[in-house]
Amino acid sequence: MMQAPSNGNVCLRVDVLDVTRFNILVRNRETGREHSFTYDDILIGSSDEGSFYDLVLPRWLAELEGIIDAR
């Protein structure tokens, strides 16, 4: 489920597919789409349930990646 934290960031549930020194590849659990991110401007942490990860990224990056519609 995608959430919109009050600080203007976007939070979504993802599965981590691959991690390298330069980027992380994730699958959006809601849409099934894959996205690759560098580590700049993102936060990722395990969920309380432990079966997925919460990815937090700036709204502008979510719009650029097509995760959310531009305003």
Side-chain angles (χ1 to χ4, degrees), residues 25-63:
L25 178 65
V26 298
R27 179 182 304 117
N28 183 333
R29 282 193 147 199
E30 187 175 320
T31 64
R33 290 183 57 201
E34 295 180 6
H35 303 278
S36 180
F37 298 101
T38 62
Y39 297 110
D40 299 327
D41 298 320
I42 68 165
L43 299 171
I44 190 161
S46 61
S47 67
D48 292 337
E49 297 173 19
S51 63
F52 58 88
Y53 291 88
D54 290 318
L55 176 70
V56 179
L57 59 155
R59 178 171 288 284
W60 65 265
L61 184 55
E63 290 172 356

Side-chain angles (χ1 to χ4, degrees), residues 6-38:
S6 60
N7 59 3
N9 289 336
V10 172
C11 179
L12 59 145
R13 293 180 173 172
V14 298
D15 295 311
V16 175
L17 303 177
D18 191 32
V19 177
T20 70
R21 287 181 30 201
F22 305 106
N23 63 14
I24 185 169
L25 178 65
V26 298
R27 179 182 304 117
N28 183 333
R29 282 193 147 199
E30 187 175 320
T31 64
R33 290 183 57 201
E34 295 180 6
H35 303 278
S36 180
F37 298 101
T38 62

